[in-house]
Amino acid sequence: AQRVTQPEKLLSVFKGAPVELKCNYSYSGSPELFWYVQYSRQRLQLLLRHISRESIKGFTADLNKGETSFHLKKPFAQEEDSAMYYCALSGTGGFKTIFGAGTRLFVKA
Amino acid sequence: DAGVIQSPRHEVTEMGQEVTLRCKPISGHDYLFWYRQTMMRGLELLIYFNNNVPIDDSGMPEDRFSAKMPNASFSTLKIQPSEPRDSAVYFCASSPLRRVANYGYTFGSGTRLTVV
C-alpha cells in the first residue's frame, strides 16, 4: 500500500537557518515523489518533483530509495518560505497521488 | 488558460441541505481529482476521473457524497444531506495523461464549505 509520512506537524526556524522537512514513504514499486506548497489561503502549488532533480526557490529534495525518504531542504530559510508543505507520492503510472499530513513551516524574523 | 476553476469559493449552508461544488479542469487534461482538506486529516483523495469516467471512488466517505463528470470540461461534487463534519476545503485538481509524473497536478483555489 502507498503511504506518505511527514513526522513533523510544525517546524519553526529562524530566518537564515537551515531547514529540513522530513518525508518518508512506503511503496513497493518505483515511486514518483513531489513536494507541494500551500501559502496562506492559496491553492496548492507544485514545488518540486524528484524526477527533475531541480532547485526551486532554493529548495532541493533527494530521493533516497534505501531509506525510502524524500526530505526537503533549504540552506537558508526566508520569512516568505512560511507555508504548509506536503510531500506526495504517485505510484507507477502516477495516476493517483496521495499526500502526507503536511508540515507547517514557520520562519521567524 | 485560466487554470483549474472551482466555484463557489465559499459556501455556508445549514445542516441537511444539499451542496454542489463545481470544477472546470484545464482543457486537455484527462484526469480530474477531488480532494478534501481538513486540519485533522490533511488532504484526502475522494475520487478521480479519467476521460470523464470515475476510476476510483474509494475515498468517498459516505453515500451522501456523489461526484459526476458529464463532459471533459465540468465536474460536480454533491453532498446530500450535508452535515457539520463535512466542513472542509474541497480541492479539485487536473493533470494530463502522460505528464503526471513530470508535472504533478494543477489545483484549483478550493471551495471552503461550512455546514452549520
Side-chain angles (χ1 to χ4, degrees):
Chain A
Q2 297 175 223
R3 189 176 193 140
V4 177
T5 303
Q6 293 181 251
E8 303 138 329
K9 289 197 174 209
L10 174 66
L11 186 61
S12 182
V13 300
F14 282 102
K15 176 182 172 181
V19 61
E20 181 179 66
L21 289 84
K22 292 184 168 51
C23 172
N24 289 92
Y25 68 90
S26 174
Y27 183 65
S28 56
S30 295
E32 301 289 350
L33 286 146
F34 308 84
W35 277 98
Y36 285 81
V37 60
Q38 186 178 27
Y39 300 102
S40 180
R41 295 191 173 272
Q42 293 187 25
R43 69 184 71 194
L44 276 86
Q45 306 169 37
L46 179 64
L47 179 64
L48 281 179
R49 48 199 171 95
H50 93 269
I51 196 170
S52 63
R53 304 179 68 83
E54 59 203 341
S55 174
I56 303 292
K57 299 183 180 182
F59 284 98
T60 59
D62 292 318
L63 175 60
N64 186 324
K65 291 188 176 181
E67 296 182 359
T68 59
S69 68
F70 188 57
H71 303 326
L72 184 67
K73 301 176 184 179
K74 184 169 183 176
F76 307 104
Q78 302 299 313
E79 289 180 75
E80 55 265 31
D81 296 329
S82 295
M84 194 76 174
Y85 291 81
Y86 289 94
C87 183
L89 178 150
S90 290
T92 304
F95 301 142
K96 176 177 172 178
T97 298
I98 62 166
F99 289 78
T103 298
R104 181 166 296 282
L105 174 64
F106 182 55
V107 181
K108 297 176 286 190
Chain B
D1 200 318
V4 177
I5 300 172
Q6 290 187 248
S7 64
R9 290 294 304 271
H10 302 275
E11 177 79 39
V12 181
T13 191
E14 290 186 346
M15 182 174 65
Q17 296 297 307
E18 177 179 294
V19 175
T20 299
L21 312 180
R22 297 172 176 79
C23 175
K24 182 180 187 306
I26 291 174
S27 177
H29 281 195
D30 298 311
Y31 283 85
L32 184 141
F33 306 83
W34 281 100
Y35 282 86
R36 177 171 68 177
Q37 183 183 44
T38 60
M39 290 289 289
M40 292 297 295
R41 302 169 75 97
L43 270 165
E44 303 172 275
L45 176 64
L46 301 177
I47 185 171
Y48 77 96
F49 295 83
N50 176 26
N51 290 325
N52 315 337
V53 176
I55 302 300
D56 185 345
D57 65 354
S58 59
M60 296 285 263
E62 298 172 33
D63 290 344
R64 298 184 296 106
F65 285 70
S66 63
K68 294 182 180 178
M69 193 164 185
N71 56 61
S73 60
F74 184 64
S75 177
T76 59
L77 178 67
K78 187 177 293 186
I79 308 172
Q80 165 64 19
S82 58
E83 296 182 5
R85 59 194 168 117
D86 302 330
S87 297
V89 181
Y90 291 81
F91 285 102
C92 177
S94 70
S95 182
L97 172 60
R98 290 188 179 83
R99 299 166 71 181
V100 173
N102 290 335
Y103 292 94
Y105 296 169
T106 302
F107 281 83
S109 298
T111 295
R112 184 175 295 274
L113 173 66
T114 303
V115 183
V116 298

